[in-house]
């Protein structure tokens, strides 16, 4: 099915080339060639341009297929991170090599690889491992990190720097920190969904926290989680039930990544 799209594109290129030739012929008939003025409005596309167009189409098609795999197979509340080039290599799909050999890259085999790798329980686990990594990195956790536990909450700090909003007394996360915040929020949303905290997961997913404009020490209250926003950090105060579940989540899905952070 997907490989056939490449053949359809090649057929379209062939038809387009024939159409260009017809236009060139019609122009030549209308304006007989003059050696003193050889300029023509119409031209036939070069072999290089045609080959490059086909290659670009195949690259974009692979990206579209990866996007579809992300949409279909991501765990609830989370988002799979799938790299086009890595998975093409894992599936032994060589776009350039196939095209140079005059063949269509086997995108049906590529989709079968994506489905086999990321669908079902296997894909769910990959997504949750990726989510745990985002949480660990977002909070800067290491094996020796001490988690602050109070009578009312489990507290974790994320180093998210902020800057003033233009012509406003409010602040917002810096460009660099907003990337950290986005990953952390996405990881926490996946955790919350997996742990059964559906309301919290929905709030994290749809709350637009990354773009939120706040005043220093402002508190954003969610279901089982308060976030206090300072100039140089966001402090996450998890209800004990949520915090304990997060600890178990990291132990189950993030243990390997957490151990490796000792090497950094």
């Amino acid at each position: 099915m997907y490989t056939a799209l490449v053949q359809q594109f090649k057929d379209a290129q062939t038809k387009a080339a024939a159409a260009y030739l017809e236009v060139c012929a019609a122009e030549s008939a209308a304006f007989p060639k003059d050696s003193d003025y050889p300029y023509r409005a119409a031209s036939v596309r070069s072999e290089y341009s045609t080959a490059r167009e086909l290659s670009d189409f195949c690259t974009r098609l692979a990206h579209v297929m990866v996007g579809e795999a992300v949409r279909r197979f991501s765990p609830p509340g989370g988002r799979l991170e799938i790299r086009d080039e890595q998975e093409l290599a894992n599936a032994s799909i060589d776009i350039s090599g196939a095209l140079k050999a005059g063949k269509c890259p086997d995108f049906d085999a590529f989709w079968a690889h994506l489905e086999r790798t990321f669908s079902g329980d296997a894909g769910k686990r990959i997504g949750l491992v990726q989510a745990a990594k985002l949480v660990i990195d977002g909070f800067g956790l290491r094996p020796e990190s001490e988690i602050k536990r109070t009578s009312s909450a489990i507290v974790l700090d994320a180093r998210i720097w902020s800057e003033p909003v233009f012509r406003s007394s409010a602040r917002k996360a810096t460009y660099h920190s907003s990337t950290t915040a986005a990953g952390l929020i996405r990881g926490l949303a996946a955790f919350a969904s997996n742990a059964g905290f559906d309301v919290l997961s929905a709030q994290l997913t749809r709350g637009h926290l990354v773009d939120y404009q706040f005043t220093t020490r402002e508190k954003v209250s969610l279901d089982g989680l308060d976030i206090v926003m300072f100039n140089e950090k966001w402090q996450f105060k998890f209800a004990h039930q949520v915090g304990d579940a997060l600890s178990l989540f990291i132990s189950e899905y993030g243990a390997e990544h957490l151990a490796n952070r000792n090497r950094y």
Side-chain angles (χ1 to χ4, degrees), residues 231-246:
N231 289 358
E232 298 178 358
K233 70 177 181 180
W234 288 5
Q235 190 171 75
F236 290 70
K237 297 183 176 181
F238 297 92
H240 286 158
Q241 182 184 10
V242 179
D244 289 340
L246 178 60

Side-chain angles (χ1 to χ4, degrees), residues 62 65-66 82-95 98 105-118:
M65 293 174 68
V66 165
I82 305 176
R83 294 168 53 195
D84 303 8
E85 292 184 2
Q86 181 64 54
E87 295 311 318
L88 283 167
N90 290 343
S92 299
I93 304 297
D94 181 359
I95 291 176
D106 193 346
F107 283 110
D108 292 333
F110 183 49
W111 179 255
H113 163 77
L114 292 173
E115 199 167 35
R116 185 169 56 251
T117 304
F118 296 105

Side-chain angles (χ1 to χ4, degrees), residues 160-212:
I160 297 174
W161 298 78
S162 65
E163 61 188 2
V165 176
F166 183 62
R167 292 184 177 177
S168 171
S169 60
R171 302 183 69 85
K172 65 177 182 179
T174 64
Y175 177 80
H176 177 74
S177 288
S178 65
T179 302
T180 301
L184 176 56
I185 296 300
R186 192 164 70 246
L188 287 174
F191 144 72
S193 178
N194 182 67
F197 303 114
D198 295 334
V199 174
L200 176 58
S201 178
Q203 290 173 329
L204 289 166
T205 301
R206 304 167 189 161
H208 305 290
L209 286 169
V210 176
D211 302 320
Y212 187 69

Side-chain angles (χ1 to χ4, degrees), residues 212-227:
Y212 187 69
Q213 296 182 5
F214 60 91
T215 56
T216 303
R217 295 180 178 273
E218 180 177 347
K219 180 173 71 174
V220 176
S221 294
L222 307 177
D223 190 56
L225 169 63
D226 289 337
I227 305 174

Side-chain angles (χ1 to χ4, degrees), residues 7 41 47 52 55-56 65 70 93 105 119 152 154 156 164 173 183 187 194 215 224 226 228 251 253 260 262:
Q7 186 58 54
E47 288 186 13
R52 180 61 182 270
S55 176
D56 288 346
M65 293 174 68
V70 170
I93 304 297
S119 67
S152 60
I154 293 174
L156 289 169
N194 182 67
T215 56
D226 289 337
V228 184
S251 296
Y253 296 105
N260 288 336
N262 254 347

Side-chain angles (χ1 to χ4, degrees), residues 94-151:
D94 181 359
I95 291 176
S96 177
L99 294 179
K100 287 179 180 178
K103 300 177 181 178
C104 293
D106 193 346
F107 283 110
D108 292 333
F110 183 49
W111 179 255
H113 163 77
L114 292 173
E115 199 167 35
R116 185 169 56 251
T117 304
F118 296 105
S119 67
D121 291 340
K124 178 181 178 181
R125 180 166 183 83
I126 291 172
L128 294 176
V129 168
Q130 291 176 347
K133 181 179 183 297
L134 291 172
V135 172
I136 291 167
D137 292 348
F139 286 126
L141 297 177
R142 295 182 181 278
E144 68 277 8
S145 295
E146 293 186 8
I147 308 301
K148 182 179 179 181
R149 188 182 187 98
T150 69
S151 60

